C-alpha cells in the first residue's frame, strides 16, 4: 500500500468523481484510476461502487476512509515537524477551541505566543467539545481546549487540566434581575425563560442536565446560537443565559451577571492531544504556555460577581458594580 494510493483514494472518496479527484491531486485521470485499481487488488476488495457513473463507497471503502485520513494527517504533521527551522521561526499549530473559551481565555494566550513566535501559523477551529474530540482523533487538530469530562466513547487523549470555572447567569441590564434580585439557584431557573445554545454544545448539555436533576425542563425562548449570539439575545432581553464566568469580562456592556447559589454549576477546561501522536514542536511550545493572566482575571471577575449587591453589570473588558450597589 503506497502513500500516493491513499491520497488518491481520499480524493475520490471526497469528490465522488474520478476526474475532479485527479484535478485535485494534480495527476492524469488514467493514472489515478490505475492506482486505485492497484490498491483494490492489494486489499482484495473493491473500494468504490461505480454504477452508471455514480461513485459511492463500498463497505470496504467506508472502513478504509477514516484510517487513510489519519495516515495522511499524521504524515503531514511529520513533514511539517521535520521542516521546522530552529528557534520556532516557522511552523503551524492547528488548535481547536470551544466558542466560550475562544471568547474568554484564548486571545491573551495567542497574543503572547504570537509575540514570541511571529513566524508560526495559527489555525483555529471553533466548535463544540464533542466535535473537537472527533477532530483530534482523526488527526485534523494538534491540540484542543475542551471541557471535561470526556464522553465514555472518546478516543485515547492526553489532557492537562487548566482551570475549573463557575457558570453564571447573564440577563439584560434593562430588565428586572432574575429571581427578584436575590440569590438564584438552579431550581430558580424553572421560572426564568432562557436563551440556549445549539445541540451538541457542552454548556447546553450541562445546563439541561442540572435542570432535570432538579426535576424540571428549562423553557427556551430562543435556542440554537453560538456564544456571541446567546449573549446578544440575553442583552436584548429575550431571556437569561447560563454562561462561563470567563466570558463576562469580554461580554461588553448591557448585561447583568448573577451567580448561581447553592450547588453552583462548574466545568473544567483542559488542553488535549492524541496520546499516540506527539504534537508538533510549535504546538508543544503553545502547550507549555499556561494562561496564568487569564486565570487571575477570571478569579477577579468571580470575586466581583460573588460580592454583596448582586446584579453586577458588565462593562467592556471589566466588571463593575452598578451605582449605589
Amino acid at each position: 500500500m503506497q502513500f500516493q494510493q491513499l491520497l488518491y483514494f481520499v480524493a475520490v472518496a471526497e469528490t465522488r468523481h474520478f476526474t475532479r479527484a485527479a484535478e485535485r491531486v494534480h495527476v492524469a485521470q488514467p493514472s489515478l484510476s490505475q492506482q486505485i485499481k492497484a490498491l483494490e487488488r492489494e486489499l482484495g476488495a473493491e473500494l468504490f461502487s461505480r454504477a452508471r457513473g455514480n461513485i459511492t463507497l463500498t463497505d470496504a471503502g467506508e472502513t478504509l476512509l477514516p484510517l487513510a485520513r489519519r495516515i495522511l494527517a499524521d504524515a503531514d504533521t511529520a513533514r511539517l515537524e521535520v521542516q521546522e527551522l530552529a528557534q520556532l521561526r516557522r511552523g503551524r499549530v492547528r488548535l481547536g477551541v470551544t466558542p466560550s473559551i475562544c471568547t474568554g481565555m484564548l486571545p491573551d494566550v495567542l497574543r503572547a505566543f504570537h509575540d514570541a513566535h511571529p513566524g508560526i501559523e495559527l489555525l483555529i477551529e471553533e466548535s463544540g467539545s464533542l466535535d473537537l474530540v472527533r477532530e483530534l482523533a482523526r488527526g485534523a487538530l494538534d491540540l484542543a481546549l475542551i471541557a471535561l469530562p470526556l464522553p465514555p466513547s472518546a478516543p485515547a487523549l492526553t489532557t492537562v487540566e487548566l482551570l475549573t470555572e463557575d457558570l453564571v447567569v447573564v440577563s439584560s441590564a434593562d430588565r428586572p434581575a432574575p429571581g427578584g434580585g436575590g440569590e438564584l439557584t438552579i431550581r430558580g431557573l424553572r421560572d426564568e425563560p432562557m436563551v440556549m445554545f445549539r445541540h451538541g454544545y457542552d454548556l447546553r448539555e450541562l445546563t439541561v442536565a442540572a435542570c432535570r436533576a432538579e426535576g424540571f425542563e428549562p423553557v427556551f425562548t430562543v435556542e440554537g446560537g453560538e456564544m456571541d449570539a446567546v449573549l446578544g439575545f440575553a442583552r436584548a432581553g429575550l431571556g437569561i443565559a447560563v454562561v462561563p464566568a470567563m466570558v463576562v469580562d469580554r461580554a461588553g456592556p448591557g448585561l447583568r451577571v448573577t451567580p448561581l447559589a447553592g450547588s453552583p454549576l462548574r466545568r473544567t477546561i483542559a488542553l488535549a492531544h492524541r496520546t499516540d501522536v506527539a504534537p508538533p514542536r510549535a504546538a508543544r511550545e503553545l502547550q507549555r504556555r499556561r494562561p496564568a493572566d487569564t486565570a487571575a482575571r477570571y478569579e477577579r471577575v468571580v470575586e466581583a460577581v460573588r460580592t454583596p449587591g448582586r446584579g453586577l453589570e458588565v462593562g467592556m473588558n471589566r466588571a463593575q458594580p452598578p451605582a449605589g450597589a
Side-chain angles (χ1 to χ4, degrees):
M1 186 183 303
Q2 300 176 13
F3 180 85
Q4 244 183 356
Q5 291 173 336
L6 294 179
L7 181 66
Y8 296 167
F9 162 71
V10 170
V12 176
E14 292 179 348
T15 61
R16 302 300 170 99
H17 197 281
F18 277 80
T19 300
R20 286 196 291 269
E23 293 171 352
R24 175 171 158 177
V25 296
H26 307 293
V27 67
Q29 191 269 332
S31 297
L32 180 140
S33 298
Q34 290 172 6
Q35 289 297 321
I36 295 294
K37 289 179 181 178
L39 179 60
E40 290 176 325
R41 285 195 299 270
E42 182 176 349
L43 295 176
E46 289 190 350
L47 300 173
F48 296 103
S49 174
R50 304 169 173 84
R52 296 181 180 179
N54 184 24
I55 306 300
T56 58
L57 286 166
T58 63
D59 289 344
E62 293 282 4
T63 300
L64 178 60
L65 183 57
L67 300 174
R69 282 174 169 159
R70 181 179 298 180
I71 291 170
L72 294 175
D74 289 347
D76 191 42
T77 297
R79 177 181 60 81
L80 289 171
E81 177 80 0
V82 171
Q83 289 179 346
E84 286 179 351
L85 300 179
Q87 287 92 42
L88 293 170
R89 288 181 295 181
R90 186 177 67 193
R92 182 188 71 179
V93 179
R94 300 169 301 171
L95 176 66
V97 61
T98 66
S100 59
I101 300 173
C102 196
T103 300
M105 175 187 294
L106 196 62
D108 293 339
V109 175
L110 293 189
R111 180 184 61 191
F113 180 81
H114 178 70
D115 288 346
H117 307 292
I120 302 299
E121 182 183 10
L122 296 169
L123 302 178
I124 307 301
E125 177 167 337
E126 195 175 357
S127 191
S129 286
L130 296 179
D131 295 334
L132 296 177
V133 166
R134 285 191 287 267
E135 293 297 284
L136 280 172
R138 74 179 188 91
L141 296 173
D142 302 311
L143 302 170
L145 283 162
I146 59 174
L148 297 180
L150 295 173
S153 59
L157 299 178
T158 297
T159 59
V160 178
E161 293 186 9
L162 301 179
L163 180 71
T164 297
E165 61 173 341
D166 287 354
L167 303 187
V168 297
V169 172
V170 294
S171 58
S172 172
D174 297 329
R175 300 292 177 91
E183 286 193 344
L184 187 63
T185 64
I186 294 172
R187 184 168 295 182
L189 299 178
R190 179 199 300 265
D191 304 319
E192 300 290 343
M194 304 178 69
V195 292
M196 182 51 68
F197 301 97
R198 63 174 171 80
H199 285 281
Y201 212 90
D202 55 285
L203 291 170
R204 179 191 180 107
E205 309 305 327
L206 188 60
T207 303
V208 171
C211 293
R212 288 175 177 169
E214 292 293 333
F216 70 95
E217 287 289 328
V219 176
F220 304 147
T221 55
V222 182
E223 58 178 315
E226 299 282 353
M227 178 58 67
D228 287 344
V230 166
L231 291 172
F233 296 152
R235 185 181 293 109
L238 290 169
I240 67 169
V242 178
V243 302
M246 184 179 298
V247 307
V248 168
D249 197 34
R250 297 181 183 272
L255 287 173
R256 176 184 287 106
V257 184
T258 305
L260 283 166
S263 300
L265 289 175
R266 294 189 174 97
R267 69 171 186 173
T268 298
I269 303 304
L271 188 63
H273 66 82
R274 275 175 53 187
T275 301
D276 59 338
V277 178
R281 184 179 174 189
R284 294 197 301 271
E285 177 64 21
L286 178 60
Q287 189 175 20
R288 282 194 289 269
R289 292 182 175 272
R290 296 290 184 263
D293 292 342
T294 298
R297 188 179 70 244
Y298 160 73
E299 294 297 338
R300 290 195 298 271
V301 171
V302 170
E303 182 180 356
V305 170
R306 289 174 175 166
T307 54
R310 302 187 189 275
L312 185 82
E313 291 188 17
V314 180
M316 182 66 74
N317 290 333
R318 66 189 185 280
Q320 298 176 338

